[in-house]
Amino acid sequence: MKYYSLPPKPKNSAFKKIRNIGITILVVAMYVWTFLSINIDWGRAIERAANNFSRVIPRLFSPDWAATSDVAMSMLETVFIAFAGSLMAAVIAVPLAFLAARNMMGGVIASTIGKWILSAVRAFPDIILAILFVVAVGPNAFAGVLAIAIGSTGMLGKMFSEIIESIDMNVVEAMEASGANKLQILFYGVLPQITPEFLSYAIYRFEVDIRASSILGIVGAGGIGTMIIFASSNRNWNEMGTILLAIIIVVTIIDFASARIRRKIV
């Protein structure tokens, strides 16, 4: 008969437990100290919030159907802004992705420069880019398209470069050994491997850009965000309910459709 002994417990398990408990106590203490140090009349704040919610929420659930046509046109403009911006970003991101991919450039310096460019583009939030482009080209939908395009280029370029770096290089090396030139390797050895995932990520980014373009109108970059800022400024919560309903419907439809398309592509 064989006897099996249990594996010994790690020696540092007690230390890890004490460390985790200490971190938890520290975090809780910081939260308690933060709330106690804020000079807020919590009773009055809660009462005021409850009054505002009781006054606003019922109106949000009673949409202003008279504004449906205006909301639909603004939502359609938002979709076009997101589509145009995503398409531009997908096109611009491809050469930047090849530049950032180390296995394509054959050197660390060139790929590092490409990664720095993508990181620099990704550093700016879409709303900041929208403000800059509104100043440059005026308060219109074109500013929103440019903001979405530049904002999405950094993220798509990063995703695309990771896809390129993960391709099967045996195919490329076999084509090089058979005497294929650079263009033949690109079109017959690289693109067939990366195109499905490129399309999948581009469609996914379009989903994200729909949400982003809904907000850019707040700073004058076109789309339904303009109606949001006007409705909130005028305290027209019934119209705001119509806007929110339109956003929910459009985003849900696009999410469902893009998910099915991505499943067929990949």
Side-chain angles (χ1 to χ4, degrees), residues 78-92:
T78 300
V79 174
F80 286 155
I81 289 172
F83 178 77
S86 301
L87 184 61
M88 290 175 61
V91 173
I92 298 171

Side-chain angles (χ1 to χ4, degrees), residues 88-170:
M88 290 175 61
V91 173
I92 298 171
V94 172
L96 292 176
F98 275 95
L99 178 63
R102 186 172 299 180
N103 57 343
M104 290 290 108
M105 297 308 297
V108 178
I109 297 176
S111 64
T112 302
I113 293 173
K115 292 182 187 299
W116 282 352
I117 293 172
L118 293 175
S119 297
V121 174
R122 261 193 340 270
F124 295 95
D126 293 338
I127 195 73
I128 301 299
L129 292 171
I131 293 172
L132 296 176
F133 284 119
V134 165
V135 174
V137 302
N140 50 48
F142 185 53
V145 171
L146 294 177
I148 292 293
I150 301 301
S152 298
T153 296
M155 185 56 66
L156 281 178
K158 180 179 183 297
M159 293 176 177
F160 288 175
S161 66
E162 292 176 354
I163 293 170
I164 296 171
E165 289 179 340
S166 64
I167 66 172
D168 185 5
M169 291 300 294
N170 291 328

Side-chain angles (χ1 to χ4, degrees), residues 203-241:
I203 294 171
Y204 173 73
R205 188 64 200 182
F206 173 60
E207 296 178 31
V208 177
D209 289 338
I210 286 287
R211 298 172 178 83
S213 58
S214 300
I215 304 300
L216 298 185
I218 293 176
V219 296
I224 203 165
T226 304
M227 293 193 71
I228 291 176
I229 195 65
F230 284 141
S232 60
S233 299
N234 297 327
R235 303 293 190 270
N236 192 347
W237 305 118
N238 299 97
E239 183 176 331
M240 181 68 78

